[in-house]
Amino acid sequence: MLKFEDLTPGDRIVVRYRLTESSVTTGNRASSDVLGEVIEVNADKIRISTRRGPVEVERENITHAKRVPPPPVRRSRPPTLK
């Protein structure tokens, strides 16, 4: 897993984290993912800037995390001839 101590603001990462207990009998937990740039990392949580705004994730709920490459550059299409 990614060492959070090595992260700096601006690093692009994806994080999978637990939301809540979804079933007491099976022990499965619901999870979610967040993709974006690191804003802040401290001992308790990590803040990530996403397209929809900042997201805070408690470090104890993180199950997986990794660095990802920058998003692809969008290219404009040439005008069509009529």
Side-chain angles (χ1 to χ4, degrees):
M1 179 151 56
L2 182 65
K3 291 184 180 181
F4 292 104
E5 296 79 25
D6 297 338
L7 290 175
T8 58
D11 286 344
R12 189 163 188 256
I13 65 171
V14 63
V15 173
R16 171 153 295 190
Y17 62 98
R18 285 183 236 103
L19 294 172
T20 59
E21 298 259 351
S22 61
S23 172
V24 175
T25 57
T26 62
N28 292 335
R29 294 178 180 237
S31 61
S32 186
D33 299 318
V34 61
L35 169 68
E37 291 185 3
V38 174
I39 299 172
E40 177 188 4
V41 178
N42 62 39
D44 299 324
K45 63 185 172 190
I46 184 168
R47 288 184 57 211
I48 301 171
S49 174
T50 70
R51 283 193 217 172
R52 295 183 177 183
V55 174
E56 288 188 2
V57 180
E58 297 292 326
R59 287 180 60 172
E60 68 184 17
N61 292 329
I62 295 174
T63 61
H64 298 78
K66 69 177 184 177
R67 281 190 177 92
V68 293
V73 177
R74 294 197 178 256
R75 298 181 189 185
S76 61
R77 292 185 176 178
T80 58
L81 300 174
K82 292 185 180 183

